[in-house]
């Protein structure tokens, strides 16, 4: 993958940080070494990513005391057990408060390593090096870190911003097709929630994007990151607008929890969840059916599922949704929409209407 390099900034005052996007960034340490403080660095990666890309990062860490930890891949390992392994590796490295964690991998590694960095000695620096489309457009930006519990996704976590996000788009060449498609769910989300023009651009370029056209992918990543960086700068800890980024996620997380972590990929859960949110919006008169169809058609073009897997228990889904972090005072709070590009927070959503959509 070739093409121009792009740089955006998440404007958070003294904690502002760059998002660098381009092919070949990992091997070019001049683009990220400045973001690493201190003498010690721990690179956290997983068993699929490490054999492919760890060498490139390690080469840039010469003259520094560093070690690496390679964890098993997949959502089932975004756990407190894995966090404990990272703490043990930091202790082994004798990492002090000026040490740094580098997260090299997809959203699972990013969330996990970021969480460990947030906890170690009450917070040390970390750098995100996302290697999946989903992580490049979403999870690596914005400082949400955490782990799953058997009871629900991301129930334990912290807000902890990275020092930099280094998105080497060349790494997408090795990403399995199913993982690439899952990433497009989050890409579509940005158009769906707040940018109708981007949604139309995706409709126009879906085939090129699926064929991994380098320029189009870089443009999509940069447009998503621009939108997310703006939202995070305005609402870092999700007191308002940032909740819109969860369009489809309350349903999606419940599906992931109920179906079993790893069976349904996060992006697949989000794709189904967005369709359910659109159907619920149409049912309550907020949006037109034509918008639901448009969303479903675009997700289908990206090869994503749009309906709940057969046999999924609606009561179990509702129970998982009640544990969602967006709920307040026992009332269900969801992100619904008024049509493409116009998501909004809906308070106190009627459970009967949700159940009807889950069982339709
Ligand atoms: N923090 C946030 O704001 C936020 C936002 C969205 C999603 N998330 C989280 O992100 C996670 C999902 O992330 P994901 O979809 O990246 O999944 P993932 O981290 O599990 O990666 C997907 C798979 O692809 C492999 N892989 C990664 N990069 C590769 C590459 N370049 N080549 C070959 N294989 C590669 C991984 O080993 C893994 O098997 C979920 O836990 C979700 O909750 C967090």
């Amino acid at each position: 993958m070739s093409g121009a390099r792009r740089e955006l900034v998440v404007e958070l005052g003294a904690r502002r940080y760059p998002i660098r996007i381009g092919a070949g960034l990992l091997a070019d340490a001049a683009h990220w070494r400045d973001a690493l403080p201190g003498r010690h660095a721990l690179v956290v990666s997983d068993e699929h990513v490490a054999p492919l890309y760890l060498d490139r990062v390690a080469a840039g860490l010469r003259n520094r005391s560093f070690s690496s930890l390679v964890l098993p891949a997949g959502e089932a390992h975004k756990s407190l057990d894995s966090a404990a392994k990272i703490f043990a590796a930091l202790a082994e490295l004798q990492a002090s408060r000026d040490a740094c964690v580098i997260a090299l991998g997809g959203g699972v590694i990013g969330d996990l390593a970021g969480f460990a960095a947030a906890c170690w000695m009450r917070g040390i620096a970390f750098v995100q090096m996302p290697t999946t489309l989903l992580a490049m457009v979403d999870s690596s930006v914005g400082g949400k870190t955490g782990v799953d519990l058997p009871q629900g996704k991301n129930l334990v976590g912290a807000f902890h911003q990275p020092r930099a996000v280094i998105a080497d788009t060349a790494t997408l060449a090795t990403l399995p097709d199913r993982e690439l498609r899952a990433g497009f769910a989050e890409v579509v989300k940005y158009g769906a929630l707040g940018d109708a023009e981007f949604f139309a651009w995706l409709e126009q370029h879906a085939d090129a994007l699926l064929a991994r056209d380098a320029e189009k992918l870089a443009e999509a990543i940069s447009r998503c990151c621009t939108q997310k960086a703006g939202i995070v700068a305005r609402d870092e800890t999700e007191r308002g607008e940032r909740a819109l980024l969860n369009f489809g996620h309350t349903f999606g997380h419940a599906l992931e929890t109920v179906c079993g972590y790893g069976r349904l990929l996060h992006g697949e859960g989000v794709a189904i969840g967005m369709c359910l949110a659109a159907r619920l919006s149409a049912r309550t008169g907020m949006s037109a059916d034509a918008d639901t169809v448009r969303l479903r058609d675009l997700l289908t073009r990206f090869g994503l599922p749009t309906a709940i897997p057969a046999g999924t228990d609606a009561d179990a889904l509702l129970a998982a949704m009640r544990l969602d972090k967006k709920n307040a005072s026992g009332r269900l709070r969801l992100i619904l929409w008024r049509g493409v590009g116009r998501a909004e927070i809906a308070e106190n959503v009627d459970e009967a209407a949700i159940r009807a959509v889950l069982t339709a």
Side-chain angles (χ1 to χ4, degrees):
M1 200 177 271
S2 62
R5 290 180 175 171
R6 302 161 200 242
E7 176 157 335
L8 313 166
V9 174
V10 184
E11 293 291 355
L12 287 169
R15 291 173 297 120
R16 77 201 291 274
Y17 59 90
I19 304 171
R20 298 187 177 128
I21 303 162
L25 290 178
L26 291 186
D28 195 349
H31 287 282
W32 46 266
R33 208 176 300 150
D34 61 317
L36 309 182
R39 292 170 297 132
H40 296 111
L42 175 70
V43 187
V44 181
S45 191
D46 76 24
E47 62 193 339
H48 300 151
V49 177
L52 296 167
Y53 304 113
L54 185 55
D55 279 359
R56 295 179 199 186
V57 177
L61 290 171
R62 276 189 311 254
N63 305 328
R64 198 179 279 264
S65 164
F66 80 95
S67 64
S68 55
L69 176 67
V70 179
L71 294 166
E75 188 71 34
H77 299 281
K78 199 174 109 176
S79 62
L80 288 168
D81 276 356
S82 297
K85 288 183 186 154
I86 302 178
F87 298 143
L90 284 165
E92 174 85 8
L93 186 65
Q94 299 191 329
S96 46
R97 290 195 87 168
D98 64 351
C100 177
V101 172
I102 298 175
L104 174 70
V108 166
I109 289 296
D111 282 11
L112 188 54
F115 174 65
C119 297
W120 182 254
M121 297 194 175
R122 299 201 181 88
I124 60 171
F126 87 111
V127 169
Q128 290 273 17
M129 295 187 174
T131 61
T132 64
L133 177 62
L134 185 141
M136 288 182 194
V137 300
D138 198 352
S139 61
S140 65
V141 177
K144 276 194 187 177
T145 71
V147 297
D148 303 332
L149 296 185
Q151 293 86 345
K153 278 223 10 140
N154 300 333
L155 284 180
V156 178
F159 282 104
H160 188 54
Q161 298 292 342
R163 293 290 175 100
V165 178
I166 309 298
D168 184 341
T169 49
T171 61
L172 296 178
T174 54
L175 192 65
D177 280 338
R178 185 177 171 199
E179 298 292 349
L180 183 78
R181 290 196 297 269
F184 282 121
E186 300 281 14
V187 174
V188 168
K189 176 191 79 176
Y190 286 100
L193 77 90
D195 188 346
E197 201 266 318
F198 181 50
F199 193 95
W201 183 87
L202 291 171
E203 289 176 321
Q204 199 183 342
H205 298 295
D207 295 338
L209 287 161
L210 269 175
R212 303 182 193 228
D213 177 295
E215 266 312 304
K216 292 278 181 300
L217 272 177
E219 182 170 349
I221 293 165
S222 145
R223 288 178 77 154
C224 295
C225 286
T226 302
Q227 195 179 334
K228 182 150 185 187
I231 292 175
V232 169
R234 291 188 293 273
D235 179 22
E236 183 183 1
T237 53
E238 200 168 307
R239 288 170 200 284
E241 180 188 8
R242 185 165 180 177
L244 298 180
L245 290 168
N246 292 313
F247 184 57
H249 281 60
T250 304
F251 289 108
H253 285 167
L255 280 160
E256 277 185 85
T257 305
V258 172
C259 294
Y261 297 134
R263 243 195 71 205
L264 205 57
L265 298 181
H266 176 73
E268 293 168 348
V270 169
I272 300 168
M274 288 192 290
C275 289
L276 293 170
R279 280 172 43 207
L280 182 58
S281 306
R283 197 184 168 89
T284 56
M286 283 176 64
S287 62
D289 285 332
D291 285 287
T292 311
V293 172
R294 214 175 141 199
L295 175 63
R296 193 195 58 205
D297 287 354
L298 183 57
L299 292 168
T300 304
R301 278 183 69 197
F302 280 119
L304 286 159
T306 57
I308 298 176
T312 310
D313 180 3
D315 286 323
L317 286 176
L318 261 174
M321 287 174 76
R322 286 193 202 101
L323 210 54
D324 189 85
K325 293 186 291 307
K326 284 181 295 306
N327 296 335
S329 316
R331 285 191 292 241
L332 275 175
R333 196 164 176 252
L334 289 176
I335 311 305
L336 300 182
W337 76 351
R338 294 201 176 272
V340 173
R342 290 183 295 148
E344 58 182 54
I345 300 168
E347 308 282 352
N348 219 350
V349 182
D350 179 26
E351 270 202 32
I354 300 175
R355 183 183 292 278
V357 165
L358 292 176
T359 52

